[in-house]
Amino acid sequence: MEYKTLYNKEKIPVLGIGTWGMGGGMMKSTANDAENIAALKTAIKLGITHIDTAEMYGSGHSEELVGEAIKGVARKKLFITTKVWSTHLSYEGVINACKNSLKRLGLNYVDLYLIHWPNPLFSFEKTMKAMDYLVDNKMTRYIGVSNFSVSQMEKAQKSAKHKIVTNQVEYHLLNRRAGHELLPYCVKNNIILTAYSPLARGKLAQWGYNEALDAIAKKYKKTPAQVALRWLIQQPNTIVIPKASRIEHVKELVGAVGWELLEGYNNKLSIDFS
Ligand code: NAP
């Protein structure tokens, strides 16, 4: 595995696995439990130890599946991220949501707890006080946000004692908005940018979707998915959390680490997709 470093120099894996759709969408579904647990177990075996989930995914069932998949794995080897939904951002709401997530995950603490989406109906002051409480009470090691603008990050950070270590946002070759203002802000402030939907929800994993991507993949004996992830991983402060529920897809994800996309090809992709 390759790593980036958090503000305090702790390492965070550049490649994690997402779980949206595992355990259902907005509603719980148990239809593919066995397949999803097998995919997550395979990921861990292959060294993908950062797992991203949320209380909202499958109405909590995604967290239950993660809990099942990590049973028996040394806790310190894992980096578990989960998120509080945007209607639970009152002081008590955040703390209760975290307690419930921990129960479903079967853990005493998560590594990273995120505010899933900002919600103007709640004040940053109270929400961030609750996030601080979670760190102070060892329910999470780190706090962060998701889908926040730079100005929302600044406001949230002003209300928090503990540092916001990441902003998790959509970022991939087909949506490069985060690269313009947010990424430079993260670099300047020692914050990790976690790129979600890094395969553009599967589009960038298809041969034939984009000629330049296919050509570069062939040149490196890689796949389009691996090149698309590599384009993100090579950016400063950036880590990726693609989702894969098929074992062959999980195995393919691992091929995004351990090699370099030369600058010329990197630039070609940036130009081609702009
Ligand atoms: P994604 O990772 O860009 O794409 C996932 C899709 O790609 C799945 O359908 C998967 O199929 C497919 N795939 C993966 N590897 C493949 C391969 N090698 N070949 C062909 N297809 C492949 O999209 P995402 O799930 O939206 O984003 C990733 C994670 O980010 C989510 O799961 C979630 O944890 C997080 N996220 C967070 C937010 C937020 O608001 N914070 C929003 C969206 C997503 P299979 O499942 O069939 O293997």
Side-chain angles (χ1 to χ4, degrees), residues 33-258:
D33 279 7
E35 183 194 5
N36 289 324
I37 292 169
L40 290 170
K41 282 189 166 172
T42 303
I44 296 166
K45 257 194 211 129
L46 294 174
I48 307 177
T49 50
H50 178 187
I51 304 177
D52 178 80
T53 184
E55 64 164 335
M56 186 271 265
Y57 298 173
S59 273
H61 191 46
S62 167
E63 292 177 325
E64 289 168 349
L65 295 176
V66 173
E68 204 50 46
I70 62 177
K71 267 188 191 155
V73 181
R75 179 65 185 90
K76 287 214 162 138
K77 280 197 177 158
L78 298 165
F79 193 98
I80 305 294
T81 298
T82 194
K83 318 181 191 80
V84 55
W85 188 236
S86 54
T87 51
H88 294 160
L89 299 183
S90 68
Y91 181 81
E92 294 79 16
V94 170
I95 295 169
N96 281 334
C98 186
K99 280 183 185 160
N100 290 332
S101 287
L102 289 174
K103 245 185 243 155
R104 287 187 290 264
L105 287 160
L107 295 174
N108 299 323
Y109 69 91
V110 286
D111 295 279
L112 179 57
Y113 198 60
L114 306 180
I115 299 172
H116 207 145
W117 284 90
N119 182 344
L121 297 177
F122 295 91
S123 80
F124 282 128
E125 285 76 19
K126 286 186 187 145
T127 306
M128 296 316 290
K129 243 197 192 89
M131 296 294 274
D132 278 341
Y133 173 95
L134 300 179
V135 180
D136 291 340
N137 287 276
K138 300 196 176 356
M139 293 160 76
T140 185
R141 295 202 303 126
Y142 295 108
I143 56 170
V145 295
S146 178
N147 300 300
F148 274 42
S149 66
V150 166
S151 82
Q152 287 165 332
M153 286 181 81
E154 283 173 336
K155 282 184 198 138
Q157 186 61 80
K158 265 196 198 125
S159 307
K161 179 173 74 176
H162 294 288
K163 185 167 169 77
I164 290 170
V165 302
T166 193
N167 188 1
Q168 185 182 119
V169 292
E170 180 165 356
Y171 190 30
H172 49 77
L173 279 165
L174 300 178
N175 178 349
R176 294 165 38 194
R177 266 195 309 274
H180 302 146
E181 192 195 1
L182 185 62
L183 183 57
Y185 174 81
C186 288
V187 171
K188 190 168 162 217
N189 292 283
N190 254 317
I191 295 165
I192 293 286
L193 189 154
T194 307
Y196 76 61
S197 305
L199 299 172
R201 299 178 176 87
K203 281 198 198 96
L204 293 167
Q206 308 298 325
W207 287 103
Y209 182 75
N210 176 277
E211 263 179 40
L213 192 57
D214 284 1
I216 294 171
K218 279 184 193 148
K219 156 137 191 74
Y220 281 95
K221 297 196 169 50
K222 291 285 176 183
T223 64
Q226 291 163 343
V227 174
L229 294 175
R230 194 70 217 167
W231 179 82
L232 286 164
I233 289 169
Q234 286 188 201
Q235 299 190 35
N237 290 42
T238 306
I239 66 170
V240 295
I241 48 163
K243 177 252 182 180
S245 49
R246 294 201 213 161
I247 287 187
E248 67 270 23
H249 289 169
V250 175
K251 289 181 178 161
E252 196 178 320
L253 297 180
V254 185
V257 298

